[in-house]
Amino acid sequence: KEVPGIHAVRCDVTNGDDIRKTIEYFASQELNVNILVNNAGIQYRYDLLSDSTADQKIREEIEINFTSVASLTYRFLQILKKSPQAAVVNISSFLGIVPKGSAPVYCATKAALHVFSKALRYQLEQSSIKVFEVLTPLVDTDMTKGREDDVGKMSPDVLASSVLQGIEADRYEITPGKAKVVLLLNRLFPSLIEKVIKKR
């Protein structure tokens, strides 16, 4: 209601039929779609040795955090390539580079997303589509409620502002807030930062 020009389409990114219908909708509306932001993600914290529901959680995390991103991106490229300037923005995490012990599969999906973003960028170098990756710090969302230090979390508004600045500056790997510090320390003192992050 606040922004009448917005087209809202409900889509379960793990459902192939939902994705197909969403693509068909955008194609039928002849909208000038020039950016795809892959933001859906979940994180479970569990011990693979003791959690009897781990198998289901593994499948869900991989499906939502990585498989659906690759599939949705593949399908949207046919629409994005029609625009003279377009972009894919993958919301990732510094945990894909410096993992923590409590969420091994989540961290693995973000590592996969990091490599996927790079390789896709190579593939699209000669096209009109740019590929951005946002390696986020801990953000204040429903997913992170009650985890670690609430005071130290980045707000979604500040994150969004950092992402927009990064896109405008053509920084293909955007590292907002504490993510930049963690990744810098990881390059300089990898064993030290590993000790700090792995216990989270």
Side-chain angles (χ1 to χ4, degrees), residues 151-171:
V151 178
K153 294 176 184 175
M154 176 175 270
S155 78
D157 287 345
V158 172
L159 175 64
S161 178
S162 298
V163 171
L164 290 174
Q165 289 173 15
I167 291 172
E168 288 171 1
D170 273 346
R171 288 199 308 272

Side-chain angles (χ1 to χ4, degrees), residues 164-188:
L164 290 174
Q165 289 173 15
I167 291 172
E168 288 171 1
D170 273 346
R171 288 199 308 272
Y172 295 126
E173 290 186 3
I174 301 167
T175 52
K178 291 180 180 177
K180 182 177 289 185
V181 176
V182 170
L183 294 175
L184 175 61
L185 289 174
N186 185 56
R187 285 198 297 271
L188 299 174

Side-chain angles (χ1 to χ4, degrees), residues 1-192:
K1 289 178 180 178
E2 290 176 6
V3 188
I6 285 181
H7 292 244
V9 182
R10 184 170 180 162
C11 175
D12 177 352
V13 295
T14 66
N15 185 307
D17 284 340
D18 269 17
I19 292 176
R20 178 181 52 78
K21 288 174 185 174
T22 300
I23 298 295
E24 287 173 355
Y25 171 81
F26 282 112
S28 68
Q29 296 295 311
E30 296 184 351
L31 299 169
N32 180 26
V33 179
N34 60 8
I35 187 166
L36 170 65
V37 181
N38 288 307
N39 186 51
I42 60 170
Q43 180 190 127
Y44 293 125
R45 290 156 60 124
Y46 53 96
D47 188 323
L48 288 169
L49 273 176
S50 59
D51 192 327
S52 61
T53 65
D55 195 48
Q56 179 186 343
K57 291 172 181 173
I58 289 167
R59 285 198 304 273
E60 286 181 9
E61 283 182 303
I62 293 172
E63 184 69 27
I64 293 172
N65 295 353
F66 180 68
T67 306
S68 68
V69 172
S71 180
L72 199 61
T73 299
Y74 162 68
R75 292 171 187 241
F76 258 97
L77 288 179
Q78 300 307 311
I79 296 175
L80 295 176
K81 72 179 184 181
K82 297 174 184 175
S83 177
Q85 283 190 308
V88 174
V89 182
N90 292 327
I91 307 300
S92 183
S93 168
F94 74 76
L95 293 172
I97 296 172
V98 187
K100 63 179 181 177
S102 62
V105 177
Y106 173 84
C107 296
T109 60
K110 293 306 181 180
L113 187 55
H114 176 60
V115 174
F116 174 73
S117 299
K118 269 192 165 183
L120 182 64
R121 192 176 302 127
Y122 300 157
Q123 278 199 359
L124 299 176
E125 276 178 339
Q126 303 305 315
S127 77
S128 62
I129 307 168
K130 297 176 180 179
V131 180
F132 296 90
E133 180 188 9
V134 184
L135 295 122
T136 62
L138 194 63
V139 182
D140 190 12
T141 64
D142 287 344
M143 187 179 81
T144 66
K145 271 191 173 51
R147 296 184 184 180
E148 284 95 29
D149 179 13
D150 284 331
V151 178
K153 294 176 184 175
M154 176 175 270
S155 78
D157 287 345
V158 172
L159 175 64
S161 178
S162 298
V163 171
L164 290 174
Q165 289 173 15
I167 291 172
E168 288 171 1
D170 273 346
R171 288 199 308 272
Y172 295 126
E173 290 186 3
I174 301 167
T175 52
K178 291 180 180 177
K180 182 177 289 185
V181 176
V182 170
L183 294 175
L184 175 61
L185 289 174
N186 185 56
R187 285 198 297 271
L188 299 174
F189 311 105
S191 59
L192 174 63

